[in-house]
Amino acid sequence: MRSDAWYAESGGNVRDAYIHRAWMRRGTPADSFDGRPHIAIANTASDLTPCNAHLDEVATAVKAGVWAAGGVPHNLPVMSLGETLVRPTAMLWRNLAAMAIEEMLRANPVDGVVLLGGCDKTIPALLMAAASVDLPAVVVPGGPMLTGTFRGQPLGCGTDVWRLSEEVRAGTLSAQEFTASESSMIRSKGHCNTMGTASTMACLAEALGMTLPGFAGTPAADARLLALSHETGRLAVDLVHRDHRPSAVLTAEAFHNAVVTLAAVGGSTNGVVHLLALAGRLGVPLDLDDFDRIGHEVPLLVDLQPSGRHLMDDFYRAGGLRAALAEVADLMAPGAVTVTGERFVDTLADQPVWDPDVIAPRDAPVVAAAGIAVLRGNLAPDGAIIKPAAASPGLLVHRGPALVFDSIEDAHARLEDPELDVTPDTVLVLRGCGPRGYPGMPEVGNLPIPRRLVELGVRDMVRISDARMSGTAYGTVVLHVAPESAAGGPLSRLRTGDVVALDVPGRTLDAEVDPEVWAAREPSPASTAAHARPVRGWERLYVDHVLQADRGADLDFLVGRSGSEVSRESH
Ligand code: FES
């Protein structure tokens, strides 16, 4: 055992081994240090991450499973990121959380780890850490909340906030009615109940082979979540005995399966950034174009908000992730294995669909070809993405004059102006909101529709930015433009009035500006002035080292693995 280096050094009869054991004898069985696997439970529970607040209870179930299998569990509270509260954006801290978790796993006497996550950034950070330290690891997804209802109608957490707040802006819902819906929105423990980023990352964790089969999507309040958590604790001990590490699970084939899954469930665009970052940790050659190449023809089979009708509880009742993926099992890479050691594709056998209204059959999908589309052109030389399934079909091919905003503050200030010079054909462009410029690549790409147009009934327009978008949002929104304006990308040279051409079927995104004029243009001084210039602390480190969206917005020095070896002896 790796932990023997702490507890059984030189046969255990030396001072340091004595100290390590003495401090850890807190009622543990006498044989705890005799070669039993020590399992960390990397726990992102926090009262300030309400989606994960129940994970202490989950950790108790995991602990029981670890004991039952002959291991020794250790609760390891790690940095938690609550999507709704952390400012300026939780994405700014994903890499910090991943780095801190990686370092604590390496620094401590643990042989394996159970990763407890839920809210958007927590599962990505945990997976990135586990990949870089490469100790046997398995994910427990915290699960979505139960469906809340308001006046007889189900409420989609996140998605319906956007919808209802737009209704208030349009004058079709009073502010009092809007506020009255608030206490119905979060019905139970758990994370957002749409196919937002948290649900997406749980599904991707399973598709990557990093959970017990059938775990993703189990509601947080469901008794089966604790039973599966107990079982995962047992599995963690077994993983150590089999020396089954993330590097054996997170292969190129596993990422192929994740990309298929992302399309089949209509997952969040944030899944693209997180998968790219995770692949970078492992040296798996995944790039932006793979999402289009592998995912484009995959049908959308799940009718869930934000683009559809149902919620995660409905998905689970209808058969869940495995039932949906069974419809596209032939598209899965056959060689990928899960943490259990079985082939991922074998976990999809005999998984019936109980409600075809929620999980559509392959021959009658919700959308025929639903994958993320990757766009390139003079506005996005290194790529940009759009989720066609969440867009208005009539806007997928569009030309219109740009209306450019230099920051999200600039956009918010002007979009409410009743005199704003804008029509439904205008292309709203937001820059300065990429990884470096904001910093942290916030979820602001789905700019609000200008008030003037909302009042005329307009609900969607083409929007383009170097930002991300909430997984619970929808619309004809081009995201993750790379390079971003703060990295000298071409968005910085676009001017209000330039005609922008979007052609999703043709996969292009261009400014129709004379090439010589375009080449001679300098970045807009207003744009440059709006970029972040942190002078110290994490933000400084982040801005100096963050990669662009097409590389997963990881830090350049965190790409790859350092393994679990500790470089120096303890003192
Ligand atoms: Fe945590 Fe949506 S706010 S998952």
Side-chain angles (χ1 to χ4, degrees), residues 51 83-84 119-120 191-192 198:
C51 304
E83 197 65 28
T84 48
C119 199
D120 293 17
H191 59 67
C192 286

Side-chain angles (χ1 to χ4, degrees), residues 349-537:
D350 302 321
Q351 297 297 324
V353 172
W354 302 114
D355 186 349
D357 201 40
V358 181
I359 302 175
R362 172 81 167 267
D363 55 7
V366 180
V367 176
I372 301 279
V374 177
L375 311 170
R376 291 182 195 274
N378 67 9
L379 276 180
D382 292 338
I385 65 169
I386 185 169
K387 185 175 167 185
S392 301
L395 290 174
L396 292 175
V397 178
H398 182 82
R399 287 177 74 249
L403 174 56
V404 181
F405 301 99
D406 287 316
S407 65
I408 189 62
E409 293 78 13
D410 178 28
H412 285 152
R414 288 198 277 153
L415 287 169
E416 293 296 306
D417 180 357
E419 304 298 318
L420 187 68
D421 186 11
V422 64
T423 75
D425 284 338
T426 301
V427 174
L428 304 179
V429 177
L430 173 66
R431 61 189 173 196
C433 292
R436 202 188 294 178
Y438 188 71
M441 205 184 175
E443 293 182 329
V444 293
N446 56 319
L447 281 173
I449 304 298
R451 175 177 288 278
R452 268 192 68 179
L453 299 180
V454 170
E455 290 170 358
L456 295 174
V458 176
R459 291 292 180 272
D460 195 13
M461 297 171 71
V462 173
R463 286 158 278 177
I464 297 170
S465 78
D466 45 18
R468 294 178 302 119
M469 172 173 86
S470 165
T472 59
Y474 50 88
T476 311
V477 187
V478 176
L479 301 158
H480 310 182
V481 169
E484 63 173 302
S485 66
L491 277 188
S492 66
R493 304 201 295 275
L494 195 68
R495 293 179 186 170
T496 291
D498 288 342
V499 172
V500 171
L502 168 69
D503 180 353
V504 176
R507 299 294 193 266
T508 57
L509 179 67
D510 289 292
E512 294 186 342
V513 178
D514 179 88
E516 284 185 24
V517 173
W518 185 244
R521 282 226 192 132
E522 294 290 326
S524 148
S527 164
T528 305
H531 296 153
R533 285 181 189 72
V535 295
R536 68 177 298 278

Side-chain angles (χ1 to χ4, degrees), residues 12-13 20 57 128 163 186 219 254 256 402 445 459:
N13 299 319
H20 298 144
E57 181 189 9
M128 290 161 71
R163 182 177 61 77
I186 310 298
H256 174 103
R459 291 292 180 272

